[in-house]
Amino acid sequence: MAKLTEIGWEEFEALSPEAKRPYLENPDGGGLPYHTLFAQQFDRAALERLCALANRIRFINKSKEGALYLKNVLAHKRAMLYFSQPSSRTFLSHLAACQILGITTGSVRDAATSSEFKGESHEDSIRTFSSYFDMIIMRSPERGLAEKMAWELSNSERPIPILNAGSGKDQHPTQALLDIYTLVRSFENKGGIDGRTVTFCGDLMRGRTVRSLSHLLTNFRDVRQIFVAPPELQVPADVVMALAKKGVSFEVMDSLKEATKVSDAVYMTRIQDEWDQAKGESAKIDTSHFKFGAEELALLRPDAIIMHPLPRRDEIATCCDHDPRAMYWRQMRNGMWIRAALIAATFGFERTIMECGY
Ligand code: NCD
């Protein structure tokens, strides 16, 4: 097995995600990651195992005895939530996932309250966290920072795993896991994800959840991806190239209504204007045709679903919220279960939980 201790940072950084993958594998995880950094680390078998584990944890947690059993599984572990970018759901669902498994947590939610403010390097900060914790769950506006930190940690005296909870405009692998888990559950007993059509709409250029989910969907057979966005915010070239390379069928469409009619899932996203180069840049883009409202809802197939990583602004009208096809609230809760599954598997407890008597 390839090891991060056997490769220099520059050499590792230059590899493709596929080539990086073996370096990030969990020695006792049978194909699951040790450091979770990007979506390309998960193949179909890994996704199916994580969804099964999430279902199992969800089920066990229903009874008090089961919940107490789970609380004991990782009671000897501590996790650091290091979020130097705003977050509600990703932070809270990771926190709740840790609580389900009995993991004690610490957090930094604002770099201004950590010693980085005094000029400490990211490397030193991370090394500090690893002195006190057994896992780092991190979100950062910097692309590639989680990767660098993973390499640093694996090459330190106290290697601990990193979970990327959002890295710049680049990747959000655990969001993509919860999106897949939501699709799996929505199409359970209806033939699954294979053969489905998924439409992505909104800011596809800067939305990291789109990139990560687009990659994960390529693990399924004959899934067609449709991209609907203002021209300025259309899906970036690297995503298109990855799909073309894998022979995945995709299409760029102008009309959300037309796309809605043929979709099994419509994945809406927010305009990510925090990345504007010039203030007010995004506000000049006409986004009025990229919103899901009553008219789109009327065109949505009876068994199709509406998804959103949240937070939403006005890209899904609130009149859709109580429709049974609106999956965004459940999607949010699914995040807690799949993250609990990923954390348990990262620490090597997949089998213990799958085979326990509850
Ligand atoms: C997303 C993110 O942070 O990338 N939110 C999330 O994690 N649920 C999407 C967004 O902020 O628009």
Side-chain angles (χ1 to χ4, degrees), residues 86 89-90 139 172 175 208-209 270 272 274 308-311:
R89 279 149 287 267
T90 308
R139 164 172 286 197
H172 196 348
Q175 175 70 42
R208 55 193 172 193
T209 66
R270 168 180 76 83
Q272 314 271 314
E274 66 270 36
H308 195 307
L310 303 178

Side-chain angles (χ1 to χ4, degrees), residues 199-204 226-230 234 251-256 259 289-290:
T199 288
F200 292 94
C201 178
D203 190 343
L204 312 183
I226 300 179
F227 301 107
V228 183
Q234 253 304 350
E251 220 175 304
V252 168
M253 280 171 76
D254 298 330
S255 161
L256 178 58
H289 303 295
F290 307 96

Side-chain angles (χ1 to χ4, degrees), residues 97-111:
C98 287
Q99 288 169 344
I100 290 168
L101 299 167
I103 299 175
T104 312
T105 55
S107 65
V108 167
R109 299 204 63 177
D110 178 358

Side-chain angles (χ1 to χ4, degrees), residues 126-152:
I126 291 284
R127 189 68 185 83
T128 305
F129 300 155
S130 77
S131 305
Y132 308 129
F133 295 95
D134 304 295
M135 166 179 275
I136 297 173
I137 301 164
M138 68 177 278
R139 164 172 286 197
S140 157
E142 255 178 79
R143 180 179 190 271
L145 184 63
E147 258 178 54
K148 178 76 194 320
M149 295 306 118
W151 183 88
E152 290 281 348

Side-chain angles (χ1 to χ4, degrees), residues 87-101:
S87 173
S88 303
R89 279 149 287 267
T90 308
F91 180 87
L92 291 174
S93 61
H94 274 110
L95 181 69
C98 287
Q99 288 169 344
I100 290 168
L101 299 167

Side-chain angles (χ1 to χ4, degrees), residues 58-281:
R58 195 176 199 134
F59 175 78
I60 297 170
N61 200 63
K62 283 189 199 299
S63 71
K64 184 171 180 186
E65 294 72 28
L68 287 172
Y69 162 78
L70 287 172
K71 270 201 163 301
N72 207 31
V73 171
L74 289 167
H76 55 308
K77 298 290 182 189
R78 290 184 298 276
M80 173 73 191
L81 292 122
Y82 175 45
F83 278 56
S84 57
Q85 221 191 0
S87 173
S88 303
R89 279 149 287 267
T90 308
F91 180 87
L92 291 174
S93 61
H94 274 110
L95 181 69
C98 287
Q99 288 169 344
I100 290 168
L101 299 167
I103 299 175
T104 312
T105 55
S107 65
V108 167
R109 299 204 63 177
D110 178 358
T113 64
S114 81
S115 282
E116 275 179 40
F117 198 61
K118 300 184 196 164
E120 183 167 65
S121 67
H122 289 315
E123 285 80 355
D124 286 3
S125 290
I126 291 284
R127 189 68 185 83
T128 305
F129 300 155
S130 77
S131 305
Y132 308 129
F133 295 95
D134 304 295
M135 166 179 275
I136 297 173
I137 301 164
M138 68 177 278
R139 164 172 286 197
S140 157
E142 255 178 79
R143 180 179 190 271
L145 184 63
E147 258 178 54
K148 178 76 194 320
M149 295 306 118
W151 183 88
E152 290 281 348
L153 280 170
S154 282
N155 282 283
S156 76
E157 286 79 49
R158 233 187 90 73
I160 61 167
I162 286 226
L163 297 195
N164 177 7
S167 51
K169 287 176 269 184
D170 186 38
Q171 285 260 358
H172 196 348
T174 67
Q175 175 70 42
L177 291 177
L178 79 88
D179 294 337
I180 288 291
Y181 185 44
T182 301
L183 287 162
V184 164
R185 287 178 70 84
S186 301
F187 298 119
E188 211 169 24
N189 311 321
K190 291 181 190 165
I193 300 183
D194 293 325
R196 302 277 170 188
T197 298
V198 178
T199 288
F200 292 94
C201 178
D203 190 343
L204 312 183
M205 172 67 80
R206 302 174 293 188
R208 55 193 172 193
T209 66
V210 174
R211 173 176 288 101
S212 292
L213 180 56
S214 173
H215 283 303
L216 279 196
L217 283 171
T218 65
N219 285 302
F220 296 85
R221 275 188 305 279
D222 303 324
V223 171
R224 177 179 167 216
Q225 301 189 21
I226 300 179
F227 301 107
V228 183
E232 302 89 327
L233 302 175
Q234 253 304 350
V235 65
D238 66 297
V239 175
V240 168
M241 267 151 64
L243 295 178
K245 205 168 143 193
K246 288 200 161 182
V248 171
S249 134
F250 64 92
E251 220 175 304
V252 168
M253 280 171 76
D254 298 330
S255 161
L256 178 58
K257 287 196 179 63
E258 291 310 311
T260 299
K261 284 187 206 163
V262 297
S263 293
D264 297 292
V266 179
Y267 191 96
M268 297 300 298
T269 63
R270 168 180 76 83
I271 303 302
Q272 314 271 314
D273 50 14
E274 66 270 36
W275 298 107
D276 281 359
Q277 304 277 333
K279 211 175 161 5
E281 196 176 56

